[in-house]
Amino acid sequence: MVGERFSVTFEQALQLLRGSWYPSDPSRWMDLGCGDGFFTRALARQLAEGSWIYAWDQDALALQRIPESIDGIHIDKRVCNFIQEPFPVKPVHGIIMANALHYVPDQVDFLNRLRQTIQPDGVLLTIEYDRIQANPWVPYPVPFSKLMSIARQASWATVQKNGTVPSRYGPEIYAAILQ
């Protein structure tokens, strides 16, 4: 089932991603740790026709469940470990990481790398559990308070919570925008 690893509905995913930062012209985005494309599909709903989403995940079988295009949005899938993979030289307008930043051991360094990959007027959208305690599924938790701290250390200008939804796995899930 698409989105089986998330504890939100597709409508809630759309709610978490709503905002005014999407360009009206075609743009280029990355979905790091995209899994089976649950949030890739929600992101595609926000973008102008002709946009590209580079969907990266290390699970080849999950990537196979993502179509090559969604409503005129091109999807370029890559099997890789996004933590170690070099990012494209040409900047992207935005990056989405849904329940993926909590797999990164050095989050400050990683946020620095992302900031250099996003064009100056672009955004990083992150969706995370607002939890403090680590567990096998969330090895490096990123509660919103920690996200604000590591984003400052990585020189992001602003961090704004974009919304929250309940989670069946414990604390709520939040979406945040870094610019």
Side-chain angles (χ1 to χ4, degrees):
M1 175 181 166
V2 173
E4 63 193 19
R5 70 182 178 139
F6 296 105
S7 64
V8 298
T9 66
F10 191 70
E11 188 56 43
Q12 288 172 318
L14 291 171
Q15 173 190 335
L16 289 171
L17 297 185
R18 285 194 180 107
S20 60
W21 49 82
Y22 299 104
S24 56
D25 296 327
S27 55
R28 295 169 8 110
W29 286 72
M30 295 183 76
D31 184 351
L32 301 179
C34 65
D36 62 11
F38 182 72
F39 276 94
T40 309
R41 287 170 172 79
L43 175 62
R45 286 273 199 78
Q46 312 296 326
L47 302 179
E49 187 174 340
S51 293
W52 284 83
I53 300 174
Y54 303 96
W56 289 12
D57 200 279
Q58 59 188 7
D59 185 342
L61 292 176
L63 284 171
Q64 289 177 6
R65 291 183 236 149
I66 303 173
E68 300 294 323
S69 68
I70 300 169
D71 298 329
I73 309 303
H74 308 284
I75 312 296
D76 182 354
K77 302 175 281 187
R78 181 182 295 183
V79 177
C80 68
N81 179 330
F82 69 84
I83 298 168
Q84 299 169 351
E85 187 79 14
F87 294 132
V89 175
K90 188 174 180 182
V92 295
H93 182 82
I95 295 175
I96 182 171
M97 293 186 73
N99 293 343
L101 186 57
H102 61 241
Y103 290 109
V104 179
D106 187 345
Q107 295 163 341
V108 173
D109 180 63
F110 192 76
L111 288 181
N112 268 320
R113 285 182 56 213
L114 294 182
R115 193 173 38 76
Q116 295 168 11
T117 303
I118 297 172
Q119 64 191 43
D121 61 339
V123 299
L124 168 62
L125 302 169
T126 184
I127 294 107
E128 282 292 339
Y129 294 100
D130 204 1
R131 66 176 304 123
I132 296 169
Q133 296 295 103
N135 65 39
W137 303 276
V138 183
Y140 307 102
V142 190
F144 185 70
S145 59
K146 180 179 179 185
L147 179 66
M148 290 189 322
S149 173
I150 62 177
R152 274 193 302 272
Q153 292 173 58
S155 301
W156 286 85
T158 62
V159 179
Q160 180 180 356
K161 193 178 275 188
N162 196 53
T164 61
V165 294
S167 168
R168 65 176 167 226
Y169 300 124
E172 67 186 7
I173 295 173
Y174 70 87
I177 309 322
L178 284 70
Q179 293 180 302

